[in-house]
Amino acid sequence: MIGVLLLLLLLLPLFLYIAAPQIRKMLCSGMCTSTVQLPGKVAVVTGANTGIGKETAKELAQRGARVYLACRDVLKGESVAREIQLITGNQQVLVRKLDLADTKSIRAFAKDFLAEEKHLHILINNAGVMMCPYSKTADGFEMHMGVNHLGSGVTAYSVHPGTVKSELIRHSSFMKWMWWLFSFFIKTPQQGAQTSLYCALTEGLEILNGHHFSDCSVAWVSAQARNETIARRLWDVSCDLLGIPME
């Protein structure tokens, strides 16, 4: 009996390794099936030099858009841009400096973009931080609040990509270990990009502005998240912190 149990324990990792693609496929129930092409369209993807942002930018470039990789690490961004250009054949993949932890950088990026382009058709606010050591942005905001909320601003859609293998957990050794332990069940960056692509490319989705999406469909949010009074207060406080005139 003990021998059988030991054999099963030894075979389990092999089974999980073989079954991993199917397990991930089952967990990744939402896929962007839009066939929309994007010639003449302009897109900006923040944090596009790695992970979900990189996969999102690659797909938009594949469809013919002019894609701006808005990155804090310009050298890494340029390397990724060359890679995307080679894969897609689209040479209109450009890199611009953007540090969401510095409002001066954000305003400079916006000013330069407006000088280059007349229109922006797609904005993917992908960049973010998680579980980083306590620190402050250049403007004195707590890093998570400053980058994930104040730096990225308010978007039309909120999306949850699921549990994805990315550099977002780079500040936590514990999370790295957990990601490694459950790697069989974690989405790839390409799978994680599907909901962002779905919201950016699906026609007729405008009527759902302001909703939260997960796995390419509208997802449930708590009562607090749907509270318009709280939302208005958050908007006003955010504008005040950033020195933006309130509506």
Side-chain angles (χ1 to χ4, degrees):
M1 184 65 179
I2 295 177
V4 173
L5 289 174
L6 288 174
L7 179 61
L8 290 174
L9 288 173
L10 289 172
L11 291 175
L12 181 59
L14 178 62
F15 168 76
L16 290 174
Y17 177 79
I18 296 173
Q22 290 302 317
I23 294 173
R24 289 196 187 99
K25 187 175 181 180
M26 286 188 293
L27 293 174
C28 185
S29 57
M31 294 294 291
C32 177
T33 58
S34 171
T35 58
V36 168
Q37 296 300 303
L38 303 170
K41 302 297 184 181
V42 178
V44 170
V45 183
T46 68
N49 56 1
T50 187
I52 295 174
K54 176 182 174 180
E55 292 299 325
T56 302
K58 182 167 67 176
E59 181 62 28
L60 296 176
Q62 185 72 58
R63 294 170 184 254
R66 179 159 61 256
V67 183
Y68 285 84
L69 312 185
C71 307
R72 181 168 54 89
D73 189 333
V74 174
L75 290 178
K76 190 174 181 179
E78 289 175 344
S79 176
V80 169
R82 289 192 293 271
E83 179 185 335
I84 293 176
Q85 290 169 351
L86 184 63
I87 293 172
T88 65
N90 183 348
Q91 300 304 306
Q92 297 187 89
V93 181
L94 311 169
V95 180
R96 296 293 181 268
K97 171 77 173 181
L98 174 62
D99 184 357
L100 293 177
D102 185 349
T103 57
K104 289 182 179 179
S105 175
I106 296 170
R107 291 188 170 96
F109 171 85
K111 181 180 178 181
D112 292 343
F113 178 84
L114 291 172
E116 288 187 83
E117 300 287 350
K118 293 182 179 180
H119 302 284
L120 173 61
H121 303 96
I122 298 172
L123 171 61
I124 306 289
N125 282 334
N126 163 80
V129 296
M130 184 177 79
M131 299 182 72
C132 56
Y134 180 78
S135 57
K136 294 184 178 181
T137 67
D139 303 277
F141 305 122
E142 188 279 326
M143 188 61 69
H144 294 85
M145 183 68 174
V147 171
N148 297 343
H149 175 63
L150 298 174
S152 294
V154 180
T155 59
Y157 300 105
S158 165
V159 304
H160 192 295
T163 306
V164 182
K165 184 179 181 180
S166 72
E167 293 185 7
L168 191 61
I169 60 168
R170 63 187 179 275
H171 297 292
S172 172
S173 297
F174 173 74
M175 291 303 294
K176 288 179 182 178
W177 180 79
M178 290 293 289
W179 254 234
W180 174 82
L181 184 63
F182 295 100
S183 59
F184 297 110
F185 307 99
I186 294 176
K187 293 180 181 180
T188 64
Q190 183 182 30
Q191 292 170 331
Q194 295 305 304
T195 302
S196 295
L197 290 168
Y198 173 82
C199 290
L201 301 174
T202 303
E203 296 175 314
L205 210 62
E206 295 81 7
I207 59 173
L208 297 176
N209 275 358
H211 284 68
H212 178 65
F213 285 78
S214 179
D215 283 329
C216 299
S217 60
V218 175
W220 176 88
V221 295
S222 67
Q224 290 93 334
R226 300 192 303 270
N227 188 305
E228 292 188 9
T229 301
I230 295 176
R232 182 73 238 187
R233 183 182 177 189
L234 176 61
W235 174 273
D236 291 343
V237 170
S238 300
C239 288
D240 183 56
L241 289 172
L242 294 171
I244 299 174
M246 290 180 279
E247 294 179 357

